[in-house]
Amino acid sequence: MATDWPTSRLEVLNEEPLVVKNPKTWFHIHSYGGWGKFFKGLREKKLLATRCTNPKCEEKRLWLPPRTECPDCWHDMEWVEAPQQGTIYTFSTVKYPGELFKLPAGTHLISVELPGVCTKPMSWLKEGEPQFGMKIKAVFNTERPTNTILDLAWVPA
Amino acid sequence: MIKFGPGNLRIPKFERPVYVVAGGLTDFRKRYPEKNTCQLCNEALRMAVEENDLKVDPEQYRRMVNWCVYSQFADHFGDQLLAAAKIHDYLGFDPLGNVEVKTGGATGGTSVLAAAQAIASGYADCVPVVGWERMDEVTTKVGNSYIASAACKDFESELGWMYAAYYALMAKRYQYENNVPRETLAKIACKNHEYAYYSPFSQNPGKYTVKEVLENEIVSDPLSYLECCVMSVGAAVLLLADEKTAYKLTDTPIRLAAICGGSHTLRTADRRHMPILLLPNENESTYKDYYGVRRKEWPGFSSFLAARMAAYLAYNMAGIKDPVEDFDVLETHDAFTISDVQTYEDIGLRPYGRGREFIESGDAYFGGRLPTNLSGGLIGTMHAVGATGVFQLVEILWQLQGKYDKFHGDPKLWQRYGKTKPADWRSLQVKNPKRGCAISHAGTGSHVTCAILERP
C-alpha cells in the first residue's frame, strides 16, 4: 500500500525565518448547564436570578448572573425573577473591541445596579447616552436571539 | 466567602528562609518570529545563570537543580498544550519534576510563590522559575479576545471581548467616586513609558507629555492606547534557592521575606460590600470620613480585595509597618493607568480615595520616596503575561543587588537586541536599596500576589 502526500498545505508567509499560517476552523460545543434557564428566560423577556434557599444564610439578596449553588453556604438556590428596572452604576464606550464582539465599535457597556440584587451585572445600553445613576429598563432580543448574554440590553426608563 | 473565619487570615510562614539569587530576561517585542518559545526561554535562563556573577558554571548549576516551575498564562496563545514539558526538555532539565502554574496575569507571581513553597518546605533546594508568553501568533484583535476568554465566558466575555473595557468600567466608577483627574492617570503612563526608554528590554519606550497621552486614541473610554499595557513576546527567569545553596551560587543573594496571594471573584460584578481589611499602617479612624460620604461600598469596582489580601498577609509576614517607608523600590502590575492608582490604595501607599497623591506628590518617581516601575512596567516595557510577574522580581532583584546599570546601561546589551543605547540614557539605580516589593495581578483582580525581597 502507498499513501499519497497530503493535499492541504500551510501557506508560507515568510521564508527567513520560516513563518507559516496555521488555520483554526472548528467550534466548541458549550453547555450552559444549570445556568441555561437564565438564557432561555431572556427569550421570554424574563430576567431570571437566583436566591439562596438556606434560611440560615445571611445573603438574602438575588444573584445575577445566577448561581445554582450559594457561594456563602453551598446550599441550593431557587430561581426568582429580578426587577427589570435599575440604574447605571458605571459605563464605558468600547472603541476597540476584540475580534469576536457581535456589536459595533462604539457600543456603550454598562454595569447595572438593581434593587434587591447583590451584584452589578455587566450589560450594554441599546439606546441613549449613559450617565451615572441613570434610570434604565431591560429589553430583550426575542426576534433573533444570539443565545448569549447580549440578548439582554437596557434602554432609558 | 465574604466573612473571614479564624483560619482565613492566618499569616503564612516559611519553614526555612528562601533566597533569590539571579535573574534573566529576553528583550520584549510585539512580534518575535526570529526565535521560537524554547529559544526565548533558553536565552533568559542563560542570562540568569551566565551573566549574574554566579560562583558556579552552567553545568554545575544544572547539576544542582531539583525542581522547576513554569509560568505561562494562556495555552490559546502558544497553541501548544503541555508547553512546559517541551520547554523543560529543551532546557535540559528532564527527568526532574516540574509544575506549570496558571493564575492569569498573576501567573508569574504565583509561580514564584510555588517555587518558594517548594524551597521553604524542604521539598527542594534549587528551583528555576521560567516564565514566557508568545502573543504574536494571532492579530491584536484576536489576542484581545483570547485575553477576554479570561473573563467570565458565560456572562461577560461577549460584552466587548476586550479587557481594557472591563478596566474602563472600573476607571469610570473610580473617577466618579474619587474625582481623580485624567491628568494624574496620564502621568503614570508618561512615567512608565519614560522609564522604559532607559531599558534595553522594552517594547514601547517613549517620552510623552500628559497632553499626548490624553489626546491619544481611545481604546475604551476613558483609557487611551498609551494608558494600556503592551502585548508582548518574551521570557523571564528567576533562580531561587535555600540559604545554603544560595550562598554556594552567589555572594549577594536576596532574601524573599514574604510572598503571599489573594483572590476575588472573576466578575467585578459579583463583588459585595464588606468591612475594609486594614493594613498595619491603617486603623478604624482612617476611613471614618470616607465611607458613606464619598463612597458607599468596599471593595466595589474601585478597589482590589485580592491585592489588599495579598498585601495584608505579606506585610504581616515580613513585618512591614509602612510600605512607603519600608520599601525602597516597587513594581506594580500597571496593566492600565487606572489599575495602578487602585493598587496604590490596596497596598497601603495611600488610604483609599487618595491614591492620586502617590503620583502627584512625586513619591512614585525615581528620586521620590518609593520609586515605582523603574523597569518601565507593563505599559512601557512588557506584558508577555506568563513572564510578567517573574520579570518584575528580576528587576527588583537587580535593584537590590545594585545591578541596574549592568543590565540596563551596557551598550553591548542594547546591541544584542538590535538597539542603540540612547545618548540621553540615565541610570535608574536606587541608592543603596534595602527592600523591594512586587505586585503580580490577574483579571480585574481575580488573583494577586505580593512579594517582598530584602537584602539580608
Side-chain angles (χ1 to χ4, degrees):
Chain A
M1 182 198 143
T3 304
D4 207 352
W5 297 106
T7 52
S8 66
R9 59 189 286 275
L10 297 190
E11 184 187 340
V12 172
L13 299 178
N14 192 57
E15 279 293 341
E16 187 54 45
L18 185 60
V19 178
V20 295
K21 193 172 180 178
N22 198 358
K24 304 279 177 187
T25 50
W26 50 80
F27 43 80
H28 278 233
I29 311 289
H30 175 55
S31 169
Y32 287 121
W35 307 325
K37 199 176 169 76
F38 167 83
F39 293 94
K40 287 201 275 188
L42 298 180
R43 300 177 193 161
E44 298 163 21
K45 302 192 177 186
K46 282 183 183 166
L47 194 49
L48 292 175
T50 57
R51 181 169 55 201
C52 183
T53 55
N54 177 4
K56 290 181 186 160
C57 183
E58 287 182 21
E59 186 55 85
K60 305 294 183 198
R61 295 171 296 175
L62 303 184
W63 289 86
L64 189 72
R67 296 174 183 237
T68 47
E69 299 82 25
C70 175
D72 291 351
C73 70
W74 299 345
H75 211 272
D76 287 346
M77 308 278 262
E78 61 183 356
W79 290 91
V80 182
E81 269 203 67
Q84 297 196 4
Q85 289 215 18
T87 51
I88 291 180
Y89 182 75
T90 188
F91 57 93
S92 174
T93 307
V94 58
K95 300 282 174 66
Y96 184 80
E99 181 70 26
L100 300 171
F101 195 39
K102 296 177 176 70
L103 292 165
T107 297
H108 301 303
L109 299 184
I110 56 174
S111 296
V112 183
E113 205 166 15
L114 294 165
V117 176
C118 71
T119 54
K120 298 175 187 72
M122 195 192 295
S123 192
W124 59 290
L125 188 72
K126 200 165 178 302
E127 292 169 20
E129 293 301 313
Q131 298 291 331
F132 286 103
M134 190 169 109
K135 286 184 181 159
I136 49 173
K137 62 179 182 188
V139 289
F140 301 88
N141 178 15
T142 53
E143 283 176 29
R144 290 188 312 278
T146 63
N147 304 304
T148 72
I149 191 66
L150 298 182
D151 291 342
L152 168 68
W154 302 78
V155 296
Chain B
M1 172 76 67
I2 189 168
K3 282 170 74 174
F4 291 119
N8 302 141
L9 295 176
R10 174 190 173 273
I11 305 305
K13 60 179 180 185
F14 290 156
E15 290 294 324
R16 58 176 185 163
V18 177
Y19 286 81
V20 175
V21 297
L25 304 173
T26 63
D27 64 329
F28 296 94
R29 302 183 188 184
K30 172 84 177 171
R31 303 202 178 275
Y32 216 145
E34 295 82 0
K35 291 171 188 169
N36 65 48
T37 309
C38 293
Q39 291 176 288
L40 291 167
C41 290
N42 187 275
E43 184 176 315
L45 178 65
R46 288 186 62 178
M47 178 186 273
V49 177
E50 296 174 5
E51 298 180 51
N52 278 260
D53 314 307
L54 296 189
K55 296 190 283 185
V56 299
D57 65 31
E59 188 51 25
Q60 286 170 314
Y61 177 76
R62 282 151 55 89
R63 305 258 168 246
M64 293 166 79
V65 172
N66 30 57
W67 178 249
C68 303
V69 180
Y70 294 99
S71 177
Q72 183 200 208
F73 157 58
D75 292 328
H76 295 48
F77 275 108
D79 195 23
Q80 169 68 69
L81 271 80
L82 219 50
K86 193 164 162 184
I87 304 287
H88 190 66
D89 168 11
Y90 274 75
L91 296 180
F93 285 131
D94 62 327
L96 302 177
N98 70 71
V99 64
E100 184 177 358
V101 171
K102 284 203 167 12
T103 59
T107 298
T110 311
S111 295
V112 176
L113 171 58
Q117 288 167 336
I119 291 165
S121 68
Y123 184 89
D125 289 338
C126 184
V127 182
V129 179
V130 180
W132 72 92
E133 207 76 41
R134 157 134 249 136
M135 307 180 83
D136 64 348
E137 289 208 355
V138 292
T139 63
T140 305
K141 267 175 129 37
V142 172
N144 278 318
S145 57
Y146 278 181
I147 294 166
S149 309
C152 170
K153 77 173 190 176
D154 293 293
F155 298 105
E156 283 191 339
S157 301
E158 288 282 351
L159 293 153
W161 288 102
M162 186 64 184
Y163 244 97
Y166 311 146
Y167 272 89
L169 290 168
M170 288 192 286
K172 279 274 192 186
R173 184 72 199 183
Y174 183 94
Q175 285 182 290
Y176 177 70
E177 288 177 347
N178 298 294
N179 196 27
V180 63
R182 285 287 292 117
E183 287 73 12
T184 300
L185 294 183
K187 278 181 187 168
I188 297 171
C190 295
K191 171 175 78 68
N192 297 353
H193 284 291
E194 191 203 327
Y195 293 162
Y197 181 83
Y198 308 118
S199 169
F201 308 107
S202 71
Q203 181 180 328
N204 200 7
K207 293 186 175 178
Y208 296 100
T209 63
V210 166
K211 190 165 176 282
E212 283 169 326
V213 172
L214 293 179
E215 289 175 357
N216 196 237
E217 205 178 331
I218 296 293
V219 177
S220 194
D221 162 43
L223 298 172
S224 74
Y225 278 89
L226 288 169
E227 290 175 275
C228 299
C229 54
V230 289
M231 201 182 278
S232 313
V233 182
V237 168
L238 193 68
L239 309 184
L240 283 82
D242 72 306
E243 186 168 285
K244 199 173 151 200
T245 310
Y247 280 98
K248 261 189 229 170
L249 288 167
T250 177
D251 292 329
T252 57
I254 301 295
R255 195 167 70 89
L256 181 61
I259 180 163
C260 301
S263 73
H264 206 189
T265 60
L266 180 59
R267 292 188 298 260
T268 322
D270 292 37
R271 296 180 181 170
R272 294 172 289 167
H273 175 67
M274 60 183 282
I276 297 180
L277 182 62
L278 296 172
L279 294 180
N281 58 332
E282 298 174 338
N283 57 50
E284 295 294 337
S285 68
T286 310
Y287 295 111
K288 68 176 169 31
D289 296 328
Y290 184 58
Y291 283 93
V293 183
R294 290 170 58 186
R295 187 171 168 187
K296 63 178 181 179
E297 57 205 346
W298 184 84
F301 280 38
S302 296
S303 305
F304 299 120
L305 171 58
R308 176 51 64 116
M309 182 84 185
Y312 172 88
L313 296 174
Y315 291 3
N316 282 294
M317 184 175 173
I320 302 301
K321 299 294 176 212
D322 179 346
V324 177
E325 288 302 316
D326 295 350
F327 297 144
D328 302 302
V329 62
L330 170 70
E331 289 286 324
T332 58
H333 186 96
D334 55 325
F336 305 96
T337 49
I338 182 61
S339 55
D340 225 38
V341 174
Q342 290 173 264
T343 301
Y344 300 158
E345 300 174 1
D346 296 320
I347 65 171
L349 308 182
R350 288 293 188 279
Y352 283 113
R354 289 170 50 193
R356 57 186 279 189
E357 294 170 22
F358 183 63
I359 282 290
E360 290 167 353
S361 65
D363 282 3
Y365 290 81
F366 182 71
R369 289 167 75 209
L370 179 53
T372 298
N373 291 347
L374 297 177
S375 70
L378 283 66
I379 285 176
T381 292
M382 64 81 82
H383 193 19
V385 186
T388 302
V390 183
F391 156 83
Q392 293 177 313
L393 285 165
V394 169
E395 292 276 0
I396 294 282
L397 169 76
W398 287 340
Q399 280 283 353
L400 296 182
Q401 290 179 323
K403 289 180 176 172
Y404 178 89
D405 290 8
K406 173 183 163 79
F407 286 104
H408 301 81
D410 181 355
K412 287 200 190 99
L413 196 55
W414 289 80
Q415 282 164 20
R416 187 186 298 179
Y417 306 130
K419 298 175 182 176
T420 307
K421 183 181 169 183
D424 56 348
W425 182 87
R426 66 176 173 131
S427 170
L428 299 180
Q429 175 65 55
V430 173
K431 200 176 166 197
N432 197 26
K434 298 275 193 306
R435 206 180 282 114
C437 176
I439 305 296
S440 189
H441 174 115
T444 54
S446 66
H447 302 74
V448 175
T449 63
C450 174
I452 299 169
L453 294 187
E454 195 173 290
R455 252 172 45 202

